[in-house]
Amino acid sequence: MKTVAIIQASMGSRRLPNKTMADICGKSMLARVVERARRARLVDEVIVATTTRYDDDAIVFWCSANGVPCYRCGVYLRPGKGDLPGRRNII
Protein backbone atom coordinates (compact mmCIF):
# COMPACT_ATOMS: atom_id res chain seq x y z
CA MET A 1 0.00 0.00 0.00
CA LYS A 2 1.19 3.52 -0.85
CA THR A 3 0.79 6.47 1.53
CA VAL A 4 0.25 9.85 -0.12
CA ALA A 5 0.43 13.22 1.65
CA ILE A 6 -1.87 15.76 0.02
CA ILE A 7 -0.99 19.39 0.73
CA GLN A 8 -4.02 21.58 0.13
CA ALA A 9 -2.82 24.99 -1.04
CA SER A 10 -4.53 28.18 -2.16
CA MET A 11 -3.45 31.79 -2.67
CA GLY A 12 -6.87 33.19 -1.77
CA SER A 13 -6.44 34.19 1.87
CA ARG A 14 -8.16 37.39 2.94
CA ARG A 15 -6.18 37.90 6.15
CA LEU A 16 -2.76 37.17 4.60
CA PRO A 17 -2.93 37.29 0.79
CA ASN A 18 -0.49 35.01 -1.06
CA LYS A 19 0.56 33.32 2.19
CA THR A 20 1.27 30.04 0.40
CA MET A 21 4.13 31.61 -1.53
CA ALA A 22 5.19 34.00 1.26
CA ASP A 23 8.94 34.11 1.85
CA ILE A 24 10.00 32.68 5.20
CA CYS A 25 13.77 33.01 5.65
CA GLY A 26 14.50 32.42 1.97
CA LYS A 27 11.91 29.72 1.19
CA SER A 28 8.21 29.87 0.48
CA MET A 29 5.76 28.47 2.99
CA LEU A 30 4.79 25.85 0.40
CA ALA A 31 8.43 24.81 -0.07
CA ARG A 32 8.79 24.33 3.68
CA VAL A 33 5.61 22.24 3.98
CA VAL A 34 6.56 20.04 0.99
CA GLU A 35 10.06 19.57 2.41
CA ARG A 36 8.66 18.50 5.78
CA ALA A 37 6.10 16.16 4.23
CA ARG A 38 8.81 14.48 2.13
CA ARG A 39 10.82 13.84 5.30
CA ALA A 40 8.00 11.87 6.90
CA ARG A 41 9.07 8.25 7.15
CA LEU A 42 5.60 6.86 6.45
CA VAL A 43 4.85 9.02 3.38
CA ASP A 44 5.64 7.57 -0.05
CA GLU A 45 4.52 10.50 -2.21
CA VAL A 46 3.65 14.18 -1.75
CA ILE A 47 1.03 15.88 -3.93
CA VAL A 48 -0.16 19.49 -3.87
CA ALA A 49 -3.87 20.09 -4.46
CA THR A 50 -5.10 23.53 -5.53
CA THR A 51 -7.89 25.22 -7.47
CA THR A 52 -8.17 26.22 -11.12
CA ARG A 53 -8.36 29.90 -10.12
CA TYR A 54 -5.83 32.08 -11.95
CA ASP A 55 -4.28 33.31 -8.70
CA ASP A 56 -3.31 29.71 -7.88
CA ASP A 57 -1.18 29.52 -11.05
CA ALA A 58 1.85 30.51 -8.94
CA ILE A 59 1.42 27.30 -6.94
CA VAL A 60 1.27 25.21 -10.12
CA PHE A 61 4.37 26.94 -11.55
CA TRP A 62 6.30 26.39 -8.32
CA CYS A 63 5.32 22.71 -8.24
CA SER A 64 6.33 22.23 -11.86
CA ALA A 65 9.71 23.91 -11.30
CA ASN A 66 10.37 21.81 -8.20
CA GLY A 67 9.20 18.39 -9.37
CA VAL A 68 6.15 18.23 -7.11
CA PRO A 69 2.99 16.66 -8.55
CA CYS A 70 0.14 19.15 -8.53
CA TYR A 71 -3.56 18.46 -8.98
CA ARG A 72 -6.05 21.19 -9.90
CA CYS A 73 -9.78 20.97 -9.43
CA GLY A 74 -12.39 23.62 -10.11
CA VAL A 75 -14.91 22.36 -7.56
CA TYR A 76 -16.48 25.13 -5.47
CA LEU A 77 -19.18 24.71 -2.85
CA ARG A 78 -19.30 28.27 -1.52
CA PRO A 79 -19.03 31.47 -3.58
CA GLY A 80 -15.44 32.70 -3.50
CA LYS A 81 -14.15 29.66 -1.64
CA GLY A 82 -12.34 26.65 -3.04
CA ASP A 83 -13.56 23.25 -1.94
CA LEU A 84 -10.33 21.88 -0.46
CA PRO A 85 -11.92 18.73 1.04
CA GLY A 86 -13.64 18.11 -2.29
CA ARG A 87 -10.29 18.15 -4.08
CA ARG A 88 -8.94 15.59 -1.64
CA ASN A 89 -11.86 13.25 -2.44
CA ILE A 90 -11.38 13.59 -6.21
CA ILE A 91 -7.64 12.83 -6.24
Side-chain angles (χ1 to χ4, degrees), residues 1-73:
M1 183 176 355
K2 186 176 183 178
T3 302
V4 179
I6 301 171
I7 299 168
Q8 300 175 358
S10 173
M11 298 289 279
S13 172
R14 286 187 180 161
R15 290 178 291 168
L16 183 58
N18 304 321
K19 70 180 175 187
T20 303
M21 300 309 292
D23 185 282
I24 302 171
C25 297
K27 291 184 183 178
S28 70
M29 185 181 300
L30 181 58
R32 292 184 178 281
V33 173
V34 168
E35 183 179 293
R36 289 293 190 157
R38 284 181 168 168
R39 281 201 225 159
R41 283 181 266 145
L42 299 177
V43 172
D44 299 308
E45 184 178 4
V46 175
I47 297 173
V48 172
T50 191
T51 73
T52 55
R53 291 173 44 111
Y54 73 90
D55 53 342
D56 290 332
D57 288 350
I59 294 169
V60 177
F61 294 142
W62 183 89
C63 288
S64 178
N66 290 280
V68 179
C70 185
Y71 179 80
R72 293 186 99 167
C73 181

Side-chain angles (χ1 to χ4, degrees), residues 12 14 53 76 78-82:
R14 286 187 180 161
R53 291 173 44 111
Y76 295 93
R78 296 171 287 164
K81 295 282 185 180

